[in-house]
Amino acid sequence: MSSLEVLISSEQIQARVHELGAQIDRDYPTGPVYLIAILKGACFFLADLARAMNTPARIEFVGISSYGKGKTSSGEVKLTKDLDVSIEGHDVVIVEDIVDSGVTLSYLLKVFEQRKPRSLRIASLLDKPERRMRPVEVQYVGFRIPDQFVVGYGLDYAEDYRNLRDVCVLRE
Ligand code: PRP
């Protein structure tokens, strides 16, 4: 039997996402900002964050897969879907649902830095600093959370629970 307990409610998420949108507007008053979401978990956050911003945004996606996924990352990642556009000379914000070990983002930062964007930052709805294996600087953090397994608002367990409106702790 598994159980779900609300950790961050949909109202809290929406309020915080609006704050982050306003912060990004202040940092990039003219735009366009390339919001690049990592599939699949970040798609809900991307959709809400983009609409919480007034600065013009362009939306792109990348796919990254980690090997040996269970509830933890294995430490090895690869790009499964690349960008369709050049980011050279552009302001880029990578949009992520959660930073856990930091393996995914440290890899993607390295790949994107080689493409010479004007600026490169990270927005993550959730951050689990206790689990970090690779240092990653996240400029826009929604919520810092303890080391509990969470699902909802894009986050899955074996592809389930992504469409929950709240972020919930999953206990089995
Ligand atoms: C999850 C999450 C991040 C990554 C974070 O993705 O969406 O991309 O793991 O973990 P890390 O900091 O330890 O690298 P996952 O590979 O589960 O894919 P998904 O977004 O399709 O669920």
Side-chain angles (χ1 to χ4, degrees), residues 39-41 69 73 96-98 100-104 156 162:
L39 295 168
K40 303 172 193 168
K69 283 301 270 197
S73 309
E96 185 53 298
D97 52 351
I98 188 165
D100 192 342
S101 68
V103 168
T104 302
D156 73 310
R162 288 195 201 272

Side-chain angles (χ1 to χ4, degrees), residues 109-127:
L109 281 174
K110 225 179 289 163
V111 171
F112 280 3
E113 270 158 12
Q114 288 166 1
R115 300 179 184 185
K116 303 192 174 26
R118 179 161 61 194
S119 66
L120 182 57
R121 290 185 171 182
I122 295 168
S124 183
L125 182 77
L126 304 175
D127 182 14

Side-chain angles (χ1 to χ4, degrees), residues 21-124:
Q23 203 180 333
I24 295 174
D25 282 350
R26 285 193 294 276
D27 292 349
Y28 305 91
T30 54
V33 177
Y34 279 72
L35 297 179
I36 302 181
I38 305 179
L39 295 168
K40 303 172 193 168
C43 65
F44 294 82
F45 179 41
L46 170 78
D48 286 340
L49 182 66
R51 288 175 296 175
M53 291 166 51
N54 291 311
T55 290
R58 295 181 182 170
I59 307 302
E60 299 292 336
F61 296 92
V62 288
I64 294 187
S65 84
S66 344
Y67 300 94
K69 283 301 270 197
K71 281 191 174 182
T72 54
S73 309
S74 63
E76 255 191 283
V77 289
K78 68 170 179 184
L79 207 57
T80 54
K81 184 213 172 296
D82 204 343
L83 291 173
D84 302 319
V85 294
S86 164
I87 54 171
E88 189 172 341
H90 290 293
D91 291 314
V92 172
V93 176
I94 299 173
V95 179
E96 185 53 298
D97 52 351
I98 188 165
V99 190
D100 192 342
S101 68
V103 168
T104 302
L105 277 172
S106 62
Y107 168 78
L108 194 61
L109 281 174
K110 225 179 289 163
V111 171
F112 280 3
E113 270 158 12
Q114 288 166 1
R115 300 179 184 185
K116 303 192 174 26
R118 179 161 61 194
S119 66
L120 182 57
R121 290 185 171 182
I122 295 168
S124 183

